Amino acid sequence: MTFALTETQEMIRTTARSFAEEQLAPGAIERDEHSTFPAEQVRAMAELGFMGMMVPEEWGGAGLDTVSYALAEAEISRVDASCGVIMSVNNSLVCYGLNEFGTPAQKNAFLKDLASGRKLGAFALSEPEAGSDASNLHTLAQKDGDHYILNGTKNWTTNGSTADLVLVMASTDRSKGPKGISTFIVPKGTPGFTVAKKEKKLGIRASDTVSLSFTDCRIPAANRIGEEGAGFRFAMKTLDGGRIGIAAQALGIAQASLDASLSYAKERKAFGRPIAELQGIQFKIAEMATQVEAARHLVLKAAWLKDSGEPYGTAAAMAKLFASRVAVESALEAIQIHGGYGYVQEYRVERYLRDAKVTEIYEGTSEIQRIVIARSLLR
Ligand SMILES: Cc1cc2nc3c(=O)[nH]c(=O)nc-3n(C[C@H](O)[C@H](O)[C@H](O)COP(=O)(O)OP(=O)(O)OC[C@H]3O[C@@H](n4cnc5c(N)ncnc54)[C@H](O)[C@@H]3O)c2cc1C
């Protein structure tokens, strides 16, 4: 057993860190304040190969492992968690799904552009009445010759209005429940596909979260991923890997909270000396650092299991459950260490708290992660 990173993994981590500090940090506060999508920054991430990290080079990706992806995702999110979620959805939901389950023709037509970052993808599973209860889909896909006709609404779609294509899960037969669900590739501009409401969010405000509407939207049957009825399995399998990405995003936010606390505690003086010399502050920092390190181990273990071809669903759920909690708790503690300055925008840590919260909600809430973990233990 070794905890050492390979040379490539270390290089990816260092590259991602300096890129984030040099190119994402400037403007992160303003993009958050005005909910501005970081189009230019996403293009720069694509140039580094960060938008399709785990896709083989023949399909336009960087051909890297999941550990490298998790390291980069954490470094990007350490500076700008909005960029982190844009990257995570494109990598671990859209590109992974197409690479794993798509046909060569679909990979040629869609994956190459997505993995190289020339195009951006979105993943639309959730609906007004289907969040945790993800198989309760009301969006219908009715077969019509060599096409399907989509009707329905999707909620909360990350990258939804900026994406060039969306992977849409819809029911071809509601009486079959999860076994009646299929996944369709729906390119932007398909008649009947429109962006509805844009959400105003607590955190990750520079990312794009919208509802999507489908009205008599004709999709070629060739755009169905996998067999008819395989869509729920597709979604669950894809989300297993997605949770590693969100756990890494949470780890990045937690690390940012720790780093900000360390430097502030050394600078800020109270009672004639830096607050870092107060044992009460030292205890907070020691506790936070231990939690962040434990989260890192869970995230990298889940990524390593995936790279090793071992089952990783439970490990991914554990990593997400734990790292998301650590992100929220670390951000809260960072605000406390910053005192009044922690409560204002300029010192960044208030954003960390707002950004951290969603990691306990999307790609399965913490309650759903506990269900996934308990089920696997009790099987
Ligand atoms: C910013 C943002 C971006 C998102 N991006 C995407 C995206 O790109 N694509 C996508 O498809 N979805 C996306 N989502 C949706 C997200 O995955 C769902 O919000 C999440 O799965 C929870 O579903 P819900 O909101 O319907 O809550 P509900 O399922 O209604 O849950 C409400 C509460 O009940 C709890 N609960 C539900 N069932 C159980 C149970 N069996 N046992 C115990 N407690 C339970 C939940 O944990 C939660 O606390 C996004 C959400 C947000 C906020």
Side-chain angles (χ1 to χ4, degrees):
M1 176 184 244
T2 170
F3 289 100
L5 299 178
T6 64
E7 238 175 76
T8 308
Q9 290 162 350
E10 189 55 52
M11 190 263 290
I12 295 292
R13 199 189 65 77
T14 317
T15 307
R17 175 162 290 212
S18 37
F19 165 77
E21 283 174 352
E22 285 158 25
Q23 297 199 41
L24 301 184
I29 289 179
E30 291 75 18
R31 291 194 298 273
D32 169 68
E33 179 171 354
H34 303 294
S35 298
T36 310
F37 185 79
E40 196 188 304
Q41 289 75 12
V42 172
R43 264 194 301 278
M45 276 156 50
E47 274 164 28
L48 286 173
F50 285 177
M51 297 307 283
M53 292 187 73
M54 296 166 290
V55 174
E57 289 177 32
E58 62 167 317
W59 297 117
L64 292 162
D65 58 11
T66 316
V67 169
S68 300
Y69 161 61
L71 293 166
E73 174 65 41
E75 292 297 339
I76 298 295
S77 302
R78 176 176 164 271
V79 175
D80 187 339
S82 289
C83 289
V85 71
I86 296 163
M87 173 179 163
S88 179
V89 165
N90 200 69
N91 271 279
S92 45
L93 299 183
V94 181
C95 286
Y96 170 85
L98 270 166
N99 187 49
E100 198 66 19
F101 301 100
T103 61
Q106 289 169 343
K107 290 185 194 186
N108 218 15
F110 305 109
L111 182 58
K112 278 185 175 170
D113 283 343
L114 289 162
S116 62
R118 279 192 293 273
K119 291 195 171 163
L120 185 66
F123 180 92
L125 173 65
S126 304
E127 295 185 0
E129 290 171 76
S132 303
D133 188 5
S135 67
N136 184 32
L137 297 188
H138 286 65
T139 297
L140 293 179
Q142 202 181 7
K143 192 91 193 269
D144 181 30
D146 56 1
H147 280 72
Y148 284 87
I149 302 178
L150 250 60
N151 278 290
T153 303
K154 290 290 173 181
N155 265 20
W156 314 116
T157 314
T158 302
N159 299 343
S161 73
T162 35
D164 298 281
L165 68 84
V166 184
L167 304 186
V168 178
M169 276 116 268
S171 181
T172 50
D173 184 348
R174 286 209 72 211
S175 69
K176 289 189 182 162
K179 295 210 163 84
I181 293 171
S182 301
T183 304
F184 301 92
I185 303 163
V186 183
K188 189 181 197 167
T190 306
F193 165 30
T194 51
V195 174
K197 185 174 161 225
K198 179 176 161 84
E199 303 296 346
K200 293 182 182 167
K201 308 191 294 283
L202 174 71
I204 55 161
R205 288 166 52 84
S207 73
D208 159 38
T209 313
V210 294
S211 301
L212 303 175
S213 168
F214 301 93
T215 309
D216 294 334
C217 180
R218 280 175 76 80
I219 306 298
N223 282 17
R224 193 189 65 222
I225 301 182
E227 295 299 312
E228 198 175 276
F232 193 66
R233 192 179 159 268
F234 167 91
M236 294 302 110
K237 192 86 189 76
T238 306
L239 283 168
D240 276 346
R243 285 167 189 159
I244 299 175
I246 300 305
Q249 183 196 27
L251 170 64
I253 301 169
Q255 183 71 55
S257 300
L258 172 62
D259 294 347
S261 301
L262 280 169
S263 55
Y264 187 79
K266 286 189 227 160
E267 276 166 28
R268 176 70 178 169
K269 289 201 171 101
F271 302 98
R273 55 185 177 144
I275 60 168
E277 290 179 15
L278 304 172
Q279 203 175 48
I281 297 288
Q282 290 175 357
F283 281 6
K284 284 184 193 299
I285 287 173
E287 187 63 35
M288 206 191 297
T290 307
Q291 297 286 322
V292 171
E293 199 54 21
R296 188 182 338 276
H297 285 304
L298 283 177
V299 171
L300 294 179
K301 167 87 182 296
W304 174 82
L305 283 171
K306 182 161 175 278
D307 289 335
S308 310
E310 301 284 336
Y312 60 90
T314 310
M318 286 178 174
K320 182 178 181 291
L321 174 65
F322 188 79
S324 60
R325 191 195 305 151
V326 170
V328 171
E329 287 172 359
S330 302
L332 270 171
E333 210 59 314
I335 293 174
Q336 195 65 20
I337 289 171
H338 281 68
Y341 296 95
Y343 204 65
V344 297
Q345 190 188 50
E346 192 186 336
Y347 283 78
R348 303 189 315 268
V349 288
E350 58 84 35
R351 172 162 56 92
Y352 300 160
L353 179 63
R354 291 187 287 105
D355 287 351
K357 183 59 205 170
V358 77
T359 64
E360 294 190 311
I361 296 172
Y362 53 24
E363 300 202 20
T365 63
S366 293
E367 290 76 16
I368 295 304
Q369 305 310 319
R370 290 187 185 97
I371 292 174
V372 170
I373 297 161
R375 265 192 201 144
S376 88
L377 294 172
L378 296 167
R379 213 169 12 225

